[in-house]
């Protein structure tokens, strides 16, 4: 399991990355809420999210999670049922200009905490890979 793969700090970071990826899948994917709404005023954003959970088609969408563990790595695939987005248009979360923004912070953490991160072409699925740490 994860115990042999990485230490406690790395496990905590992995947990944060998975939480961020799930949050993105729910809010940006299934509920189709844009980051711009969030930057303006957090309260509006959560009110809007609450409304969407009552409306079709948003309320009927699910998040699919697949995990596979081997001796050398852990792989997590998280897919939402939203329309997706063009991953190539995504602002680079690691660029200096984007570090201060509230939006995109989740992706920044995901990229920092994992060894490999990629989206499918539709942009509604993210794959996170954590490799065994050398002893």
């Amino acid at each position: 399991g994860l115990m042999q793969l990485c230490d406690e700090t790395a496990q905590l970071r992995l947990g944060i990355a998975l939480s961020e990826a799930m949050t993105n899948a729910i809010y940006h994917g299934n509920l189709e809420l844009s980051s711009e709404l969030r930057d303006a005023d957090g309260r509006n954003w959560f009110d809007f999210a609450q409304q969407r959970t009552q409306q079709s088609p948003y309320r009927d969408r699910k998040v699919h999670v697949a995990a596979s563990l081997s001796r050398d790595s852990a792989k997590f695939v998280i897919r939402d049922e939203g329309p997706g987005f063009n991953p190539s248009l995504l602002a680079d979360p690691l660029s200096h200009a984007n570090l201060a923004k509230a939006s995109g912070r989740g992706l920044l953490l995901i990229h920092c905490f994992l060894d490999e991160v990629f989206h499918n072409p539709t942009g509604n699925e993210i794959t996170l890979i954590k490799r065994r740490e050398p002893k």
Side-chain angles (χ1 to χ4, degrees):
L2 280 174
M3 297 308 204
Q4 291 84 38
L5 204 63
C6 54
D7 67 18
E8 210 173 301
T9 303
Q11 286 175 43
L12 183 64
R13 287 177 174 167
L14 178 60
I16 291 168
L18 287 169
S19 173
E20 292 290 344
M22 294 287 290
T23 298
N24 284 345
I26 293 165
Y27 289 103
H28 297 313
N30 286 349
L31 296 179
E32 294 183 50
L33 295 168
S34 75
S35 297
E36 286 72 42
L37 285 168
R38 184 184 229 160
D39 289 341
D41 178 358
R43 274 197 320 270
N44 288 348
W45 201 77
F46 286 106
D47 290 345
F48 202 45
Q50 191 60 44
Q51 285 169 18
R52 286 251 164 122
T53 62
Q54 311 300 313
Q55 299 166 350
S56 215
Y58 313 106
R59 69 173 177 218
D60 304 314
R61 293 174 176 169
K62 294 176 176 53
V63 173
H64 306 266
V65 181
S68 55
L69 295 173
S70 72
R71 265 180 34 102
D72 300 313
S73 67
K75 177 180 175 183
F76 302 89
V77 181
I78 298 169
R79 179 173 50 85
D80 61 66
E81 295 181 350
F85 68 100
N86 183 343
S88 68
L89 296 179
L90 200 61
D92 177 6
L94 300 174
S95 86
H96 193 70
N98 293 322
L99 288 177
K101 289 185 181 170
S103 62
R105 194 191 68 238
L107 271 176
L108 171 67
L109 290 173
I110 291 168
H111 279 272
C112 287
F113 291 168
L114 288 145
D115 298 307
E116 202 177 330
V117 178
F118 55 90
H119 289 89
N120 68 344
T122 309
N124 70 332
E125 180 181 282
I126 188 169
T127 299
L128 315 175
I129 297 173
K130 176 71 183 144
R131 298 195 200 297
R132 173 189 286 282
E133 293 171 351
K135 293 267 184 252

